[in-house]
């Protein structure tokens, strides 16, 4: 029996989404624009990288070729052709939106049929009745924020007031999300999680995709930093995801990073969470060493998105990609004959683009099977990933998607 792993590089889009203009994202290209910036000498603030983007292992799997197929151009320093035996293509999302849950759910074979709800583009952004209901149930005299904001910037702006008053900071973005920031020690982590649980239930009728707990520590604006105890409270995915199919067949399932949160803890099996990409990649490598025949591992590496995409830090994003690429051989080394690894993304977050939000983009699809045949996969739907992994594992077919093997 074979095994499978799905690795989502959060926000590593490759441009070329046919409906990008409808989302205000025409011309967005996360990987392409990072590579172009690096070609002109992009250096990070810490001086840890400079010069052309160096991703030899991802490129050997077909990253440059996938980007060229999606956007019509090969990113600088990447190759138009992968190493022999690599299967590559690009994915286009059917679900409306450009957020994490819909991207992951569709990759797992279950596109979102109804559009998400969103908060008003003006500030204050939350319906007054929602704020009143949250405060009443949580016993809060009020909130701070109530606006669209970058998570790090709003903590810089309001963190000291939050510490002084004991009030949490509520904010949103163009995505379907309500985020709640509070001091991990002064407000209390469990109190923050309980508050998010209340907000989650009250946001359900509004079809808000996620409520996210954003704890931070520090004494003042100069020392505030977010901790690794983020938790996503997501709406449950549609029935019949790849994880559901694996669980109903009695297969081992391992969820790494924020996968368990994204899938609302339904059939997510063994949950492994680390703080940052390196820790979660450690978990994935260890899980693949021990995963039994027929097992499925699903992982998300979020640092690309949360630490660099939203902060519009081009050099930091480039360094993060290169750091992952240097470690990719560790993951490839633990794959067995008959295994299938698919590396992809859930949306874009072009750090050269306006604003601080996700961008509607196509995503790379890199499929690696030790000793397997390669080739161009062409344009695929996100759901084709779930359909392919289900067929590879001998599971019941997903409701959407068409397998390429």
């Amino acid at each position: 029996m074979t095994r499978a792993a799905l690795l989502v590089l959060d926000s590593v889009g490759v441009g070329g989404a046919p409906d990008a203009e409808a989302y205000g994202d025409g011309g967005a290209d996360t990987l392409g624009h990072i590579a172009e910036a690096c070609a002109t000498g992009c250096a990070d603030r810490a001086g840890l990288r400079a010069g052309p983007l160096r991703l030899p292992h991802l490129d050997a799997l077909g990253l440059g070729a996938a980007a060229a197929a999606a956007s019509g151009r090969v990113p600088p320093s990447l190759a138009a052709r992968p190493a022999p035996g690599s299967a590559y293509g690009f994915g286009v999302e059917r679900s409306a939106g450009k957020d994490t849950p819909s991207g992951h759910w569709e990759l797992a074979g279950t596109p979102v049929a109804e559009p998400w709800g969103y908060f008003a583009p003006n500030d204050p952004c939350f319906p007054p009745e929602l704020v009143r209901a949250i405060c009443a149930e949580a016993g809060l005299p009020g909130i701070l924020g109530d606006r669209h904001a970058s998570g790090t910037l709003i903590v810089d702006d309001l963190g000291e007031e939050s510490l002084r008053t004991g009030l949490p900071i509520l904010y949103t973005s163009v995505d379907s999300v309500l985020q709640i920031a509070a001091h991990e020690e002064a407000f209390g982590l469990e109190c923050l999680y309980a508050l998010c649980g209340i907000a989650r239930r009250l946001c359900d009728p509004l079809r808000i995709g996620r409520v996210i707990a954003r704890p931070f520590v520090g004494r003042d604006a100069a020392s505030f930093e977010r901790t690794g105890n983020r938790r996503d409270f997501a709406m449950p995915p549609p029935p019949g995801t790849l994880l559901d199919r694996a669980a109903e067949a009695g297969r081992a399932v391992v969820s790494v990073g924020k996968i368990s949160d994204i899938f609302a803890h339904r059939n997510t099996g063994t949950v492994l969470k680390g703080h940052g990409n390196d820790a979660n990649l450690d978990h994935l490598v260890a899980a693949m060493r021990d995963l039994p025949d027929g097992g499925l591992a699903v992982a998300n590496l979020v640092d690309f998105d949360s630490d660099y995409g939203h902060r519009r830090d081009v050099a930091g994003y480039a360094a993060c990609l290169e750091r992952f690429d240097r470690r990719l051989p560790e993951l490839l080394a633990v794959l067995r004959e008959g295994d299938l690894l698919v590396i992809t993304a859930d949306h874009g977050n072009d750090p050269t683009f306006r604003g601080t939000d996700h961008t509607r983009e196509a995503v790379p699809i890199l499929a690696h099977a030790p000793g397997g045949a390669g080739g161009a996969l062409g344009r695929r739907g996100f759901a084709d990933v779930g359909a392919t992994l289900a067929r590879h594992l001998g599971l019941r077919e997903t409701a959407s998607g068409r397998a390429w093997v």
Side-chain angles (χ1 to χ4, degrees):
M1 194 179 289
T2 58
R3 310 181 308 163
L6 172 60
L7 175 55
V8 181
L9 308 183
D10 205 306
S11 87
V12 183
V14 289
D19 56 358
E21 289 285 357
Y23 291 84
D25 294 332
D29 183 352
T30 300
L31 180 67
H33 288 153
I34 291 170
E36 287 176 353
C38 290
T40 60
C42 182
D44 72 344
R45 297 186 187 98
L48 299 178
R49 76 147 326 273
L53 188 64
R54 294 177 289 272
L55 304 174
H57 303 108
L58 281 166
D59 212 18
L61 294 182
L63 181 61
S71 67
R73 60 200 179 100
V74 182
S77 78
L78 299 185
R81 294 183 181 278
S86 298
Y88 65 91
F90 67 97
V92 173
E93 187 172 7
R94 184 177 106 192
S95 303
K98 47 183 178 178
D99 205 352
T100 294
S102 55
H104 282 73
W105 297 351
E106 188 167 337
L107 288 168
T110 51
V112 177
E114 299 178 49
W116 295 115
Y118 298 89
F119 293 115
N122 49 283
D123 298 332
C125 60
F126 300 124
E129 60 273 18
L130 174 63
V131 175
R132 285 194 297 268
I134 291 172
C135 290
E137 287 206 31
L140 292 169
I143 64 167
L144 301 175
D146 198 353
R147 67 185 192 228
H148 288 251
S150 159
T152 52
L153 294 180
I154 200 167
V155 169
D156 288 345
D157 290 344
L158 298 177
E160 291 180 358
E161 185 177 354
S162 179
L163 263 178
R164 185 174 64 255
T165 62
L167 299 179
I169 305 166
L170 276 65
Y171 62 101
T172 189
S173 68
V174 298
D175 299 315
S176 182
V177 64
L178 188 158
Q179 306 201 59
I180 306 179
H183 198 278
E184 186 167 300
E185 297 158 356
F187 191 87
L189 190 59
E190 293 306 318
C191 289
L192 175 58
Y193 291 161
L195 175 59
C196 288
I198 292 169
R200 169 70 275 164
R201 178 169 46 78
L202 294 172
C203 284
D204 283 352
L206 304 177
R207 284 194 58 77
I208 301 302
R210 286 182 295 168
V211 174
I212 305 179
R214 292 287 197 178
F216 64 93
V217 294
R219 298 183 304 276
D220 50 35
S223 60
F224 288 146
E225 60 179 359
R226 298 198 294 199
T227 77
N229 290 318
R230 162 187 171 156
R231 183 179 294 180
D232 293 39
F233 295 73
M235 289 187 69
T241 69
L242 176 66
L243 285 77
D244 292 337
R245 297 285 196 257
E248 73 183 14
R251 305 295 182 80
V253 176
V254 178
S255 299
V256 180
K258 64 178 186 175
I259 292 297
S260 59
D261 290 344
I262 294 168
F263 286 87
H265 303 274
R266 193 181 76 207
N267 291 322
T268 50
T270 300
V271 174
L272 304 172
K273 284 188 176 184
H275 184 24
N277 281 4
D278 283 328
N280 283 313
L281 188 57
D282 287 342
H283 282 315
L284 179 59
V285 169
M288 291 306 296
R289 286 196 184 102
D290 300 330
L291 192 69
D293 286 345
L296 169 69
V298 184
N300 171 285
L301 300 184
V302 74
D303 290 2
F304 308 106
D305 183 60
S306 62
D307 290 357
Y308 306 107
H310 286 299
R311 300 183 189 188
R312 295 301 187 246
D313 182 350
V314 180
Y317 204 132
C320 192
L321 283 167
E322 291 171 336
R323 191 159 54 248
F324 168 74
D325 188 83
R326 288 192 293 271
R327 295 202 58 194
L328 179 55
E330 298 174 42
L331 177 59
L332 301 180
V334 297
L335 299 179
R336 305 173 189 164
E337 186 92 16
D339 286 351
L340 175 61
L341 166 68
V342 176
I343 300 176
T344 185
D346 51 346
H347 50 72
N349 199 344
D350 187 342
T352 72
F353 212 63
R354 59 183 174 271
T356 60
D357 298 303
H358 296 158
T359 43
R360 179 81 167 186
E361 298 181 43
V363 301
I365 297 176
L366 313 178
H368 178 72
L377 302 174
R379 171 175 164 168
R380 314 296 309 199
F382 275 27
D384 293 356
V385 172
T388 299
L389 292 170
R391 178 178 291 181
H392 178 80
L393 292 172
L395 302 174
R396 190 161 60 91
E397 288 186 3
T398 54
S400 297
R402 183 169 54 90
W404 62 73
V405 295

